[in-house]
Amino acid sequence: MLNFENVSKSFWTGTRRKVILENASFSIRPGRNLGILAKNGTGKTTIINMMAGLEKPDDGKIRRRCNVSFPLGFMGGLNTRHSAVENVRYIAALYSLDPDRVEAFCRWLCDLGEYFDQPMGTYSQGMRARVSLALMLAMDFDLYLIDEGMPTTTDIGFNRRAGAVMRERFQTSTLVIVSHQTDVLEKFCNAAAVLHDGKLYYFDTLEEAKELYDYAN
């Protein structure tokens, strides 16, 4: 589905070379929802961005044999000066989807009323989270990427609707979550990996990954 082949990635911080990945090879397999545990500042977002194609590796190959989502948590495609309806229609057009269908789905799921037609810069964090999640769920991807857990909202109705859609989507797709919190992964993942000192250690169970993560930190 998605393969990293001898992938390396690093950054120059101004004083030293910070290694994110060093000669890493692993595969994301269909139906195996993967959680990647890593401390803040170790490169979680960089890895998820490389999976999405937003960043390139320094060396090695990343092969995508599936339809990969943008990372949930990545707001680079949303313009806060524009309304939610303008944003979702623009993103729908980028993905060659029917803007009317995507807008209708997001309006239903978000249930923001007249705010859906107002600039997103006026939204609360929870309202932006609704739009971000709704936009991702409006599209059918083989592989969904989530950076640092699901966006949070206190709206019970939205959580119920979004939860039902996610359960349906994840029956036929695969999920990758990167996070520094183990409890986030327990809800969705049946395989796990630990990012530590530029190495990615893959495990078949979350329990094994948690043991290494706790020991390393």
Side-chain angles (χ1 to χ4, degrees):
M1 174 175 270
L2 188 149
N3 299 309
F4 275 49
E5 300 175 0
N6 300 314
V7 169
S8 295
K9 182 71 174 180
S10 63
F11 295 101
W12 178 251
T13 66
T15 58
R16 66 183 182 90
R17 178 67 61 181
K18 180 179 178 59
V19 176
I20 304 300
L21 275 181
E22 184 176 8
N23 200 34
S25 297
F26 62 93
S27 299
I28 308 298
R29 293 174 287 171
R32 295 289 288 171
N33 294 337
L34 176 65
I36 299 177
L37 287 167
K39 294 187 299 182
N40 288 330
T42 56
K44 297 189 302 297
T45 296
T46 299
I47 288 180
I48 211 84
N49 284 347
M50 286 196 293
M51 290 181 181
L54 297 173
E55 295 190 39
K56 295 182 178 180
D58 298 333
D59 295 294
K61 297 288 185 181
I62 300 174
R63 303 188 186 278
R64 301 172 189 85
R65 299 179 178 88
C66 59
N67 187 13
V68 183
S69 79
F70 54 87
L72 184 58
F74 172 73
M75 300 296 289
L78 299 179
N79 190 325
T80 57
R81 292 176 296 177
H82 295 164
S83 66
V85 63
E86 290 170 322
N87 273 289
V88 301
R89 293 184 70 87
Y90 173 72
I91 298 297
L94 285 181
Y95 281 85
S96 300
L97 299 174
D98 180 0
D100 291 338
R101 185 192 68 81
V102 173
E103 178 190 342
F105 176 87
C106 291
R107 279 188 182 274
W108 164 76
L109 186 57
C110 292
D111 193 25
L112 292 174
E114 62 184 13
Y115 288 103
F116 201 78
D117 299 287
Q118 297 180 8
M120 291 188 64
T122 65
Y123 287 14
S124 66
Q125 183 177 356
M127 293 165 68
R128 292 186 191 182
R130 288 200 228 178
V131 175
S132 179
L133 181 55
L135 184 56
M136 171 176 275
L137 294 177
M139 307 179 192
D140 290 322
F141 294 108
D142 300 314
L143 180 62
Y144 286 87
L145 305 175
I146 298 179
D147 186 0
E148 201 56 70
M150 298 289 185
T152 57
T153 172
T154 58
D155 187 274
I156 296 175
F158 174 82
N159 290 339
R160 184 181 299 112
R161 291 189 299 275
V165 174
M166 282 191 291
R167 286 190 292 273
E168 178 182 349
R169 288 284 192 277
F170 296 162
Q171 286 179 357
T172 56
S173 60
T174 303
L175 176 68
V176 175
I177 304 177
V178 294
S179 180
H180 69 283
Q181 296 178 307
T182 58
D183 59 339
V184 172
L185 309 186
E186 290 173 347
K187 299 177 183 178
F188 300 99
C189 300
N190 49 25
V194 176
L195 177 64
H196 181 67
D197 288 341
K199 302 290 186 181
L200 193 74
Y201 301 91
Y202 189 94
F203 298 92
D204 287 328
T205 67
L206 181 57
E207 288 72 21
E208 293 174 290
K210 286 169 62 177
E211 288 184 11
L212 175 60
Y213 184 67
D214 293 339
Y215 176 79
N217 296 298

